[in-house]
Amino acid sequence: MVMLWSLQKARPLWITNLQEDETEEMEGPQSPGQLLNPALAHSISVASCGNIFSCGAEDGKVRIFRVMGVKCEQELGFKGHTLGVSQVCFLPESYLLLTGGNDGKITLWDANSEVEKKQKSPTKRTHRKKPKRGTCTKQGGNTNASVTDEEEHGNILPKLNIEHGEKVNWLLGTKIKGHQNILVADQTSCISVYPLNEF
């Protein structure tokens, strides 16, 4: 579950269960013996604007939410990694999102166009009880698959892919000597540094 807490009242204001959309996905045909990872939340990152956050989950999906007062709406969701998404991290002052996975990959996504598009053309979603259901085009998958609470990732395509090779335990986008870099910790005793020259 992902929760928005009121620290003054010491109780959650909003709760979403990431496994609800997974349960509906599993109702479709499955091959015998197929195992699915549950949608356990691994990492959350808040964008600099303060009202957009992302969540990386064990099911390999990245979900981006918008906080609107005491409510949250899922803006978009997409398959980010072949195994669990262990880390998500917005770069400062942008909607560029770094993700690291149990598949040993690090990916940079540009969510700016989708987040800005929805911000400029708001819908009256705050009064609905159930979120909108949509269809999702999965990467390299079935283009007609119905997926709950997810939209086509269309413009959300990877801007950078790094084959790190080890499960990513932690990552951070930061400037070192005036240049943007990615710091990565894995299961070894070393911190890896990858340059982000063009960003």
Side-chain angles (χ1 to χ4, degrees):
M1 292 198 189
V2 176
M3 300 180 191
L4 175 66
W5 283 83
S6 166
L7 297 180
Q8 294 171 337
K9 297 178 182 180
R11 65 179 175 86
L13 298 173
W14 169 86
I15 300 172
T16 188
N17 184 347
L18 299 180
Q19 293 182 4
E20 286 178 357
D21 61 327
E22 181 177 310
T23 302
E24 292 179 21
E25 279 182 39
M26 289 171 38
E27 290 174 3
Q30 275 185 8
S31 61
Q34 180 181 8
L35 297 175
L36 298 174
N37 289 331
L40 303 173
H42 280 283
S43 178
I44 290 182
S45 177
V46 179
S48 299
C49 66
N51 70 332
I52 299 290
F53 70 93
S54 66
C55 175
E58 181 61 29
D59 60 1
K61 294 179 187 167
V62 177
R63 294 161 175 90
I64 298 179
F65 296 87
R66 179 183 305 276
V67 178
M68 298 176 298
V70 296
K71 302 274 186 198
C72 292
E73 292 284 334
Q74 183 171 326
E75 291 289 303
L76 58 125
F78 54 92
K79 185 78 172 173
H81 291 267
T82 57
L83 296 175
V85 180
S86 56
Q87 290 291 297
V88 291
C89 177
F90 276 108
L91 294 181
E93 306 302 321
S94 73
Y95 294 121
L96 291 173
L97 179 66
L98 284 170
T99 62
N102 295 343
D103 57 6
K105 296 179 183 171
I106 300 162
T107 307
L108 180 67
W109 307 89
D110 186 358
N112 187 52
S113 59
E114 292 298 312
V115 170
E116 290 295 324
K117 178 172 41 173
K118 294 186 181 204
Q119 191 169 8
K120 289 178 183 173
S121 60
T123 58
K124 294 184 179 183
R125 297 204 272 175
T126 54
H127 301 292
R128 289 195 325 219
K129 291 185 179 178
K130 292 249 179 190
K132 182 180 179 183
R133 309 234 182 256
T135 11
C136 175
T137 304
K138 294 184 178 182
Q139 283 181 320
N142 181 357
T143 57
N144 295 321
S146 178
V147 178
T148 307
D149 290 333
E150 291 191 8
E151 299 172 18
E152 282 186 36
H153 61 261
N155 294 334
I156 308 296
L157 297 174
K159 295 193 77 60
L160 177 69
N161 286 306
I162 298 171
E163 291 286 337
H164 181 66
E166 297 281 336
K167 175 186 177 289
V168 176
N169 288 337
W170 173 84
L171 58 77
L172 176 70
T174 188
K175 286 194 174 184
I176 300 173
K177 296 183 180 179
H179 299 290
Q180 190 71 35
N181 291 276
I182 305 171
L183 303 179
V184 181
D186 53 34
Q187 296 174 331
T188 67
S189 59
C190 299
I191 300 290
S192 300
V193 180
Y194 296 99
L196 278 176
N197 298 329
E198 62 271 10
F199 300 98

